[in-house]
Amino acid sequence: MFPYGCNSLLLMKIAIISAIVSPQVSSQKESCLATRLSGAEDSGSYSLDVDGQEGPLAEFNVYCDFSGLDTMTVLHHSSEDRRRVSSGGDFHLQVAYQGSLEQIQAVVQKSARCQQFIRYECRNSPLQLAENVSWWETTANTRMYSWGGAGRRTGQCGCGVQQNCQPSPDQSCNCDANDTVWRTDEGYLTDLTALPVVNVSLTAREGEGYLTVGPLVCVDEPEFIPNEWWQIALGTAILVFAALLTFMPAFIRK
């Protein structure tokens, strides 16, 4: 029961206001953040409609990670296993995601930041990031000659940017030592205008090598609040105000 003699007039007000401000909540959310705000607590696979009900893109499944303060969207692909790169030929890795490239790009565009891990393990197998030697490609088929941790610095790995490659800091990448020691060049690609990785090409391979390309991981824009949530907030405020107008006279009389 409502206190202070709640009458049918208040119930009518509540019904009318609720009808006006209540959002038409779709079962398919536009982001992992929207899914989390709707009450989902467990990380797992969720269906997203990234461009909304009015957009042309179909819904698709992603992995939503709710384990931390940031809400993360994890976009897996079919080539996440460590791949052996044999000597004596060219190596090409096509990366096929769980979702179309248009859907993946829509997620990236709505994200605060994204990253994708890439690693090359080598022995007598230089990386040599250069045209027609080693590169990775964007969704626009643009060839990128920078490795994880190097930003957009052409021909560089993370150690080259930090000038701590082994055995010589003058190298661009650890693997460019081209010696019998197992070495690794790894790091995160973070350029939103280039992600995700859709192809990696390593030509004229020598020695032994292994390539790993991780899933694309994006953090939802913290300022992004779905339209339905401002409607809920507004509706709650109006209901509280209506209740105060109804209850206050009776409360004052007491």
Side-chain angles (χ1 to χ4, degrees):
M1 292 181 61
F2 288 97
Y4 307 123
C6 177
N7 51 42
S8 59
L9 179 59
L10 174 61
L11 296 178
M12 185 180 299
K13 289 180 181 178
I14 292 174
I16 293 173
I17 294 171
S18 296
I20 293 173
V21 302
S22 293
Q24 300 299 314
V25 180
S26 169
S27 60
Q28 306 302 330
K29 304 303 178 184
E30 294 184 24
S31 68
C32 284
L33 176 59
T35 302
R36 193 175 194 177
L37 289 174
S38 70
E41 298 180 353
D42 296 329
S43 300
S45 179
Y46 291 89
S47 182
L48 299 185
D49 187 1
V50 290
D51 61 347
Q53 296 182 40
E54 304 301 322
L57 298 178
E59 61 194 54
F60 73 115
N61 289 332
V62 305
Y63 185 88
C64 294
D65 187 346
F66 304 145
S67 60
L69 293 177
D70 287 329
T71 300
M72 293 186 289
T73 305
V74 183
L75 301 160
H76 287 287
H77 59 80
S78 59
S79 305
E80 293 177 17
D81 294 338
R82 180 173 178 252
R83 300 297 180 98
R84 180 178 175 84
V85 179
S86 300
S87 64
D90 298 343
F91 175 88
H92 301 283
L93 178 68
Q94 292 290 130
V95 183
Y97 291 87
Q98 295 177 354
S100 69
L101 291 181
E102 290 79 9
Q103 290 168 325
I104 303 300
Q105 287 178 303
V107 172
V108 172
Q109 291 167 3
K110 295 174 68 171
S111 298
R113 59 186 183 277
C114 295
Q115 63 181 26
Q116 190 163 13
F117 182 75
I118 191 166
R119 173 198 290 140
Y120 187 58
E121 302 164 71
C122 58
R123 184 168 68 177
N124 280 133
S125 183
L127 195 50
Q128 293 179 327
L129 294 161
E131 186 174 359
N132 296 325
V133 181
S134 299
W135 69 89
W136 59 274
E137 293 181 19
T138 71
T139 54
N141 297 321
T142 301
R143 292 184 177 185
M144 305 296 290
Y145 301 103
S146 56
W147 208 245
R152 293 181 68 95
R153 295 174 178 83
T154 299
Q156 297 286 314
C157 294
C159 70
V161 174
Q162 298 172 13
Q163 296 184 326
N164 60 3
C165 294
Q166 298 296 324
S168 171
D170 296 329
Q171 295 168 196
S172 297
C173 300
N174 290 312
C175 287
D176 289 349
N178 193 20
D179 57 16
T180 59
V181 177
W182 276 104
R183 302 189 186 278
T184 301
D185 286 300
E186 63 183 16
Y188 287 94
L189 303 168
T190 58
D191 186 351
L192 285 175
T193 65
L195 292 172
V197 176
V198 298
N199 176 64
V200 181
S201 293
L202 307 171
T203 66
R205 290 296 93 190
E206 303 171 359
E208 302 174 83
Y210 292 91
L211 176 70
T212 303
V213 179
L216 178 66
V217 180
C218 293
V219 175
D220 282 339
E221 186 72 59
E223 292 82 10
F224 171 72
I225 303 296
N227 290 335
E228 62 203 46
W229 290 97
W230 75 257
Q231 291 179 277
I232 292 173
L234 176 61
T236 302
I238 293 175
L239 289 175
V240 170
F241 183 68
L244 286 174
L245 289 179
T246 303
F247 294 145
M248 191 60 69
F251 180 78
I252 293 175
R253 287 196 299 270
K254 289 180 177 291

